[in-house]
Amino acid sequence: MVTLTQLRDAALGGLDRAVAEWTDLAAALDGVVGRATTGVGGPLRAAHWEGADADAAERGLAARGEQVMVAAQEARCVLTVLDTAAEQLRYAQHDLRAGLEEAAAAGFTVFEDGRLEAADPTRGVDPAMLSRRHELEQRLAAPVRKATEVDTRCAQTLARLRPMATADWADTAADGACVMALAGLDLATIPKGDPVAAAKWWAGLNPSERAMYLAGYPAVLGAMDGLPTEVRDRANRVALAETKVALLAELAAARAKRDAAGRTDDAKWRFRVTALKDRLAAIEGLEATLRSADDLYLMGFSAKNDGRAIIAIGNPDKATHTAVYVPGTGAGLARIDADVSRMRSLWLATQQVKDPGEVSAITWVGYDAPDTLTHAMSTSYADRAAPAFVRFLRGVGVAQGIDSNSHVTVIGHSYGSVVLGQAAHLSGGLVAKDIIVAGSPGMHVTRAADLHVNPHHVWVAAAENDIVTGVGSGAHAPAVDDGGRPRRVTPDDSEFGANRFTTDGANGHSEYWSTRHSASLDNQAAIVSGNYEDVRLLWGDRP
């Protein structure tokens, strides 16, 4: 139990120093993870080491990295408890000292147990003095009682935090929820849906406050457009790990229920087990993608439905040129590696152009894409995706700095071009200088100028034998009058008014980023890097 004297004389600066030290520790542990990735994992990948030993080394490095990430998250939980104790004890101490001053001014002597006695014995029996004494005794007791409650709650919370050497992601999730309840951090105070407000909010937090929110709300921070990319990456990797652990627990429970179910319910639980295994396989695929290189940033993650992920090659906050790629039908966690590989090919191609500057290539699977061609005939997927995409682009600009916003190019493949078309018509439109569409079934406009950008900055690729540009046009390409007969216009038509670049050697719907037939890839690299004079055109006018 905290006494009046202990609270009055407590040197709370020690708690403040402890908070700062734990904050520094968490940051240092984050740095260790980064150095392990770039300093150990990078050279191993560059050496093209293969075989059983290489696989074991990769698993070992990943496991050690996970342990350090867990330790960093647990350190953030500890500092949250200490910061809460310091803040609440400081309030209690302030109230106590104010009460003591008031008691002294009223002519009372204060004893260590909180009792008051009138300094003038002749006034001690005065009814008004007795009432005043009782009032002041209650006032002094309240902060002491509050301090005792704070001390007990914080001590109990610290006791439940496991030693960092034995903690795992299940612990961090539970510990994060526990310390947030203790700290009283309100999720409602975090701005949502406004990248500018999010950036301003984050900039106003001190390092320990940022660490506290990362301890309790990693998934929320990871999804916040406008926050620095490194913050989102750290938060999303924590959210990814905690989600995987939760799904593994859910899978174990579903298997147990399947095994215990009778014939009537067995099919339901078998279906549930299969669905959970598929989601876990997709998550493991995302983890493998993130381990494949040291320049990847996880800017978004969700395991809902087919899963969502936003992965940047290179930090867009520091980029001179930024490409944001929106894939089409079938996009989701299960095939994120293929989509990131396309952007890796494009990123590598930009390194071969003149004066490429710093380039970031982002794969945006931030929406629920249609699963089949039949679903892709609907605009509803694009309608739901467009606001999220526009908000993401604005967040990229905010994180880069509005006044120094880099050259942004948006790239839509197949149904992804429909998303771009819908996004262009929202308030503010696409925050991008260049638009590239490949294999587009239509963008719900008949002219490039209707996308609300300079049509000289609209670029189109349509490879030989790509049937999507024709088959899908009935759903997404508006009709124009052609001598009394309606005719639908897709972006690859000359009257659309865009620049159509060459795709020599590419066939079908999926070779726009092929390194075997590099014409399409090289042209996109020239656009992304702003080297418009190097783009080889079938028709159109360069900027």
Side-chain angles (χ1 to χ4, degrees), residues 403-455:
D403 294 334
S404 59
N405 195 6
S406 78
H407 169 210
V408 175
T409 301
V410 293
I411 305 170
H413 177 229
S414 191
Y415 194 87
S417 70
V418 183
V419 174
L420 299 190
Q422 299 304 92
H425 289 86
L426 297 179
S427 176
L430 290 167
V431 187
K433 187 174 183 178
D434 287 285
I435 297 175
I436 299 174
V437 296
S440 174
M443 301 179 74
H444 291 268
V445 295
T446 58
R447 300 183 307 154
D450 293 335
L451 296 171
H452 305 300
V453 298
N454 186 331

Side-chain angles (χ1 to χ4, degrees), residues 87-345:
E87 180 182 33
Q88 296 189 9
L89 288 175
R90 188 166 279 113
Y91 283 135
Q93 187 181 67
H94 176 272
D95 289 346
L96 175 65
R97 288 176 175 176
L100 290 171
E101 290 178 2
E102 191 173 344
F108 289 102
T109 299
V110 181
F111 294 91
E112 185 170 341
D113 61 1
R115 289 182 301 107
L116 272 64
E117 184 176 289
D120 183 357
T122 63
R123 298 181 59 199
V125 295
D126 180 60
M129 199 66 166
L130 289 173
S131 176
R132 181 64 171 151
R133 185 187 74 180
H134 178 72
E135 175 190 341
L136 287 170
E137 285 179 341
Q138 293 299 312
R139 177 171 176 182
L140 295 178
V144 174
R145 186 167 55 250
K146 176 64 176 177
T148 298
E149 293 172 358
V150 170
D151 181 67
T152 301
R153 289 172 58 215
C154 289
Q156 290 174 344
T157 304
L158 282 175
R160 68 153 286 158
L161 301 181
R162 296 191 179 192
M164 289 185 288
T166 60
D168 58 26
W169 286 117
D171 294 320
T172 68
D175 291 345
C178 179
V179 299
M180 287 304 101
L182 174 72
L185 294 180
D186 188 358
L187 187 60
T189 63
I190 302 177
K192 298 177 181 65
D194 185 344
V196 174
K200 184 177 180 180
W201 170 77
W202 184 257
L205 301 177
N206 62 42
S208 63
E209 289 171 332
R210 293 175 179 179
M212 288 162 60
Y213 278 101
L214 186 55
Y217 302 121
V220 174
L221 295 188
M224 287 182 70
D225 297 312
L227 295 194
T229 294
E230 290 185 350
V231 174
R232 297 185 68 172
D233 175 68
R234 188 177 305 127
N236 280 312
R237 288 177 188 255
V238 171
L240 170 63
E242 291 182 351
T243 298
K244 181 180 178 180
V245 166
L247 287 175
L248 285 169
E250 191 176 350
L251 175 61
R255 280 174 166 160
K257 290 181 178 179
R258 177 202 60 190
D259 295 343
R263 289 177 177 246
T264 303
D265 294 330
D266 179 65
K268 178 182 72 173
W269 289 111
R270 279 192 287 113
F271 177 81
R272 183 59 180 159
V273 166
T274 300
L276 287 168
K277 288 171 66 176
D278 289 344
R279 291 173 70 186
L280 282 165
I283 284 177
E284 289 168 355
L286 173 59
E287 289 177 326
T289 297
L290 293 172
R291 289 194 302 267
S292 68
D294 55 19
D295 60 351
L296 298 179
Y297 296 85
L298 184 59
M299 298 182 69
F301 165 74
S302 172
K304 294 179 180 178
N305 299 321
D306 293 331
R308 304 179 185 185
I310 306 169
I311 299 178
I313 300 170
N315 189 340
D317 299 358
K318 303 174 183 178
T320 310
H321 306 285
T322 305
V324 186
Y325 165 64
V326 183
T329 302
L333 282 188
R335 58 157 297 163
I336 192 68
D337 182 59
D339 287 320
V340 172
S341 293
R342 288 177 171 178
M343 288 302 97
R344 175 66 71 184
S345 296

